[in-house]
Amino acid sequence: MNDPVTDRREIRELLENWVIWRDAGHWDRFRTVWHDDGVMMATWFQGTADEFIRVSKEGWDKGVSILHFLGGISIDLAGDRAVSQTKMTISQRGDVDGVPCDIVCTGRFYDFLERRDGRWGLVLRQPIYEKDTLMPVSPTARPELDAALLARFPVGYRHLAYIQTRLGYTVKPDMPGLKGPEVEHLYARGARFLAGGSL
Amino acid sequence: MNDPVTDRREIRELLENWVIWRDAGHWDRFRTVWHDDGVMMATWFQGTADEFIRVSKEGWDKGVSILHFLGGISIDLAGDRAVSQTKMTISQRGDVDGVPCDIVCTGRFYDFLERRDGRWGLVLRQPIYEKDTLMPVSPTARPELDAALLARFPVGYRHLAYIQTRLGYTVKPDMPGLKGPEVEHLYARGARFLAGGSL
Amino acid sequence: MNDPVTDRREIRELLENWVIWRDAGHWDRFRTVWHDDGVMMATWFQGTADEFIRVSKEGWDKGVSILHFLGGISIDLAGDRAVSQTKMTISQRGDVDGVPCDIVCTGRFYDFLERRDGRWGLVLRQPIYEKDTLMPVSPTARPELDAALLARFPVGYRHLAYIQTRLGYTVKPDMPGLKGPEVEHLYARGARFLAGGSL
């Protein structure tokens, strides 16, 4: 049996490895942070870890540029289960109406983890999207945004959704943000999971 | 008695919990990182932890949007006292002349901590404000800034002060920056505290 | 002999102290994270730790403004050697055609470390430059960039190179980026180092 100090250390390492390995395209190592039934929820994809890796690799190969950055971790432990919250940014680069732009979305990874056979792994990653912004990579040109398309998405990830829609992805419109029923529902789900309930 | 490894781990967890819990509006948990006489120094507020939580909650309820992000921690320990420095950004969103904007201020949390009855807690948080920038959330519009108002504040937090002044807060004009007598004074204060002197 | 848990903790502390101490201008403490033969590779400087500290101090004294921020650490250990990857931003402020601007470059510190006489120290820091952007500090003015100068450098650090060239530095044109032979070569070098080969 682990002690809580070890548990927290192993979970922290897992969370940090996630961003280093995914963003560098180290897919084999990236697979190891997930349990086999692990599920990833993103604006542009929802499904199993294996599927997520497949489509991430496809995106990587065709030049989709997404980078993550972490800004603080808080972990709630309950035996062989844990819920962690990690400050993060998702930074996507792409052309918007011919102008190279960066979209930076700020939020939290809200993660459900389990220790099975002595190994911590991700069971579910549900990000919380708090706000985002779009800026040209160089100040030499400014894109014209389609205000109607932008307004279709929640304030937490509307610029991210904008570019992902333009890239051809179908963006999920009801992801949790900083406030509102979606994030309250997520907190309740986390508490239930820690209390031993089903996911 | 703690060992230094445990002390550092507990302080790090406290520092990371601070940003996760405050920014998510988890006020009860946020209260636990402070000692009862803990003091918060911010550009727009200076006072006890309890008062800080009260006004932060007020701001949250009326839509003031502030998020923090951490970027590296360094801790100096001396028995039951510690001074920690943590790279951070303060990111505030608000309208500037009708244009939604993000202000991002980069600096360090300079923290005074004590272990009392076996529990580490914040005694004083004095941020160092190193530089800040203001950008529209979308590149579709540009605000006109009042150059005279902007120039009233130090380079480390002038855009932050700008929007906070417009929101009706009174902004402290002499906070420490990357260089200068204010930050030298703060370093001296930290050294004195670690040597057992009064705060 | 250390255990791996201690090794990882000490390396993490070293990596975080690097950014806190360098950016604050705490040169004496900053020196302690390096071994005597440690080498720093940056876009504007390549050489020993002592030389890096000398030129960093020179830059600091004449107002060159560079700040770092960390966003996640992953460490590979092999006995008394380690390779670590750390998400980072390099943020440089300076005038571009008379307009105060911030350049933010996102990438990874790719570090070679050794434990000698019981102390971990940096042997080589080779950053990976993944993308960068340039924005005015305030939205009141926009600089005109020289497109030809900008295009001379890789996409991972072209705005950083732009301002550094204007400041009079000679910028290395073949630093590793997210993809390509330079970063593949670096990964191979890291693997060889961990296997006991020469640097």
Side-chain angles (χ1 to χ4, degrees), chain A residues 105-116:
Chain A
C105 179
T106 298
R108 275 172 285 156
F109 287 133
Y110 193 95
D111 293 321
F112 298 75
L113 301 112
E114 282 187 13
R115 199 164 72 96
R116 301 178 186 168

Side-chain angles (χ1 to χ4, degrees), chain B residues 110 112 126 176 180-192 199:
Chain B
Y110 193 95
F112 299 74
Q126 172 61 64
E182 293 85 0
V183 76
E184 293 302 327
H185 176 75
L186 182 60
Y187 293 149
R189 202 176 170 194
R192 199 168 59 234
L199 192 63

Side-chain angles (χ1 to χ4, degrees), chain B residues 57-70:
Chain B
K57 193 174 174 316
E58 273 177 18
W60 169 284
D61 289 339
K62 68 183 183 197
V64 175
S65 164
I66 301 181
L67 296 171
H68 300 80
F69 214 81
L70 303 184

Side-chain angles (χ1 to χ4, degrees), chain C residues 137-196:
Chain C
V137 171
S138 287
T140 44
R142 285 202 299 175
E144 290 300 317
L145 300 188
D146 174 345
L149 175 56
L150 202 59
R152 272 177 43 200
F153 301 101
V155 69
Y157 57 102
R158 59 173 45 151
H159 298 91
L160 208 53
Y162 188 97
I163 195 174
Q164 291 169 348
T165 301
R166 286 286 173 95
L167 283 170
Y169 293 103
T170 301
V171 175
K172 192 166 159 59
D174 58 352
M175 289 298 219
L178 180 59
K179 301 177 181 182
E182 292 85 359
V183 76
E184 293 302 327
H185 175 76
L186 183 59
Y187 292 149
R189 201 175 171 195
R192 198 167 61 235
F193 177 73
L194 287 177

Side-chain angles (χ1 to χ4, degrees), chain B residues 19 56 75 107 133-134 149 151 164 174 191-192:
Chain B
V19 293
S56 294
I75 300 168
T133 186
L134 184 152
L149 176 56
Q164 291 169 349
D174 58 351
R192 199 168 59 234

